């Protein structure tokens, strides 16, 4: 299996330097990795370094805890697009789920979809904090709002991606939404298992070990 | 030693309910805890619940990784104040430190100070990611920009507050800036040690165990 095209090389450590970004861009271009995920404050620098459309720039919104205000997340999306983001990975506010505010969640998803226009929008639901019914409820709203991807985890909270959650989403929603698995995926065997379970993309910081 | 007046009761878990907020407000009011720290998305609810000036509402900006854009952090401050925040705890972008962009850091501090007006502004520097010289350089800029507090840690990254860092800042800057120790402080003995080392406030989620 050719894994590289499934990977999103993710560099979300604090305190990265220009050299870190340059090396990651080179890693992606040299190995046909299609997407590089950077923090919002690194977008302008990353965008300046990349001079080809062959590498898509993704960033994270409301990351990693998701409890920024709705208004701030909308503003952060606009700011990220202005600074060069081609793709947006946005964390939901889990309080909307625990308080069962499905109407509020629906309104937010519609607004985020609109703010991203035709850019790829992935919504991070942090599956390890949720039960099966919550995962289905949220993903139903994502599908209804034409969100491109449901993404499992930030990698900063809980247990990260689990195969059973990928299988659950795939079985329930088929091809109505794509799946990005992320959080704790660090070797080739694990990547293959997640792709077999139904993941369309894999977010990882361990790209070198995986493709090595 | 009467510890209660030093404490900032901190509830920054994801997915909190109205009941969680109500219980925390009661805990603070019943025990003369002066400050409650909540996430930005919980500000409006918290502000609606609190009907006295005896309890100050604090929130977190760019939390916990600090690598949101400068523009987004400024917007998030304004949004938080509008939603009822009396105090602001803001995380620096550690990339400005590793890239030694002291001019950029200085400009940001000046803008954050202005955006907070006379409200208490604490800047979180995540001491466990820094060396001694970096801590001194950053705190010098904080003092020059009339930032009220230097705060050690978010509690989500690294090792949290260390006594040696509190002592270092206190010895170097005396009363030029206040110190908020946070990150991993969970019992009365530890609180007392941090206060003796020079901390003016203690951020903790373990308020009940500490005052119990």
């Amino acid at each position: 299996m050719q894994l590289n095209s499934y990977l999103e090389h993710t560099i979300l450590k604090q305190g990265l330097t220009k050299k870190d970004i340059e090396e990651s861009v080179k890693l992606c271009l040299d190995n046909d990795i299609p997407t590089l995920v950077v923090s919002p404050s690194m977008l302008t620098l990353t965008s300046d370094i990349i001079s080809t459309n062959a590498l898509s720039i993704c960033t994270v919104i409301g990351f990693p805890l998701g409890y920024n205000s709705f208004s701030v997340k909308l503003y952060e999306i606009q700011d990220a697009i202005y600074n060069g983001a081609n793709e947006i990975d946005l964390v939901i506010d889990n309080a909307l789920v625990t308080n069962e505010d499905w109407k509020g969640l629906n309104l937010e998803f519609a607004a985020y979809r609109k703010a991203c226009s035709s850019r790829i929008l992935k919504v991070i639901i942090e599956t390890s904090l949720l039960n099966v019914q919550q995962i289905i409820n949220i993903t139903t709203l994502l599908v209804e709002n034409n969100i491109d991807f449901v993404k499992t985890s930030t990698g900063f909270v809980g247990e990260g991606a689990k195969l059973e959650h990928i299988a659950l989403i795939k079985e329930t929603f088929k091809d109505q939404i794509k799946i990005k698995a992320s959080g704790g995926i660090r070797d080739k065997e694990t990547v293959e298992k997640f792709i077999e379970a139904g993941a369309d993309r894999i977010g990882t910081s361990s790209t070198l070990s995986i493709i090595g």
Side-chain angles (χ1 to χ4, degrees), chain A residues 2 58 63 65 69 98 102 105 110 121-122 150 154 177:
Chain A
Q2 174 52 267
C58 177
F63 192 87
L65 300 174
S69 78
T98 52
W102 307 113
L105 204 58
L121 171 58
K122 307 173 210 122
V150 56
T154 59
I177 192 163

Side-chain angles (χ1 to χ4, degrees), chain A residues 196-208:
Chain A
E196 278 160 30
D200 299 279
R201 294 206 196 170
I202 306 291
T204 181
S205 314
S206 307
T207 307
L208 255 184

Side-chain angles (χ1 to χ4, degrees), chain A residues 103-114:
Chain A
K103 188 179 167 188
L105 204 58
N106 193 43
L107 286 168
E108 290 204 5
F109 288 162
Y112 299 141
R113 175 68 279 172
K114 195 171 176 188

Side-chain angles (χ1 to χ4, degrees), chain A residues 9-18 20-21 23-24 36-43 45-46 58-60 63-64 154-156 186 204-206:
Chain A
H9 180 52
T10 303
I11 47 171
L12 290 172
K13 276 181 64 173
Q14 293 164 286
L16 296 184
T17 62
K18 189 179 178 187
D20 294 320
I21 306 287
E23 286 173 357
S24 285
L36 175 64
V37 186
V38 298
S39 70
S41 77
M42 287 288 148
L43 275 173
L45 178 62
T46 307
C58 177
T59 197
V60 289
F63 192 87
T154 59
F156 284 83
R186 298 196 186 90
T204 181
S205 314
S206 307

Side-chain angles (χ1 to χ4, degrees), chain A residues 14 23 26 42 71 73 79 84 132-133 169 201:
Chain A
Q14 293 164 286
E23 286 173 357
K26 188 172 186 308
M42 287 288 148
S71 165
K73 284 187 193 172
D79 184 68
V132 167
Q133 191 57 54
I169 295 168
R201 294 206 196 170

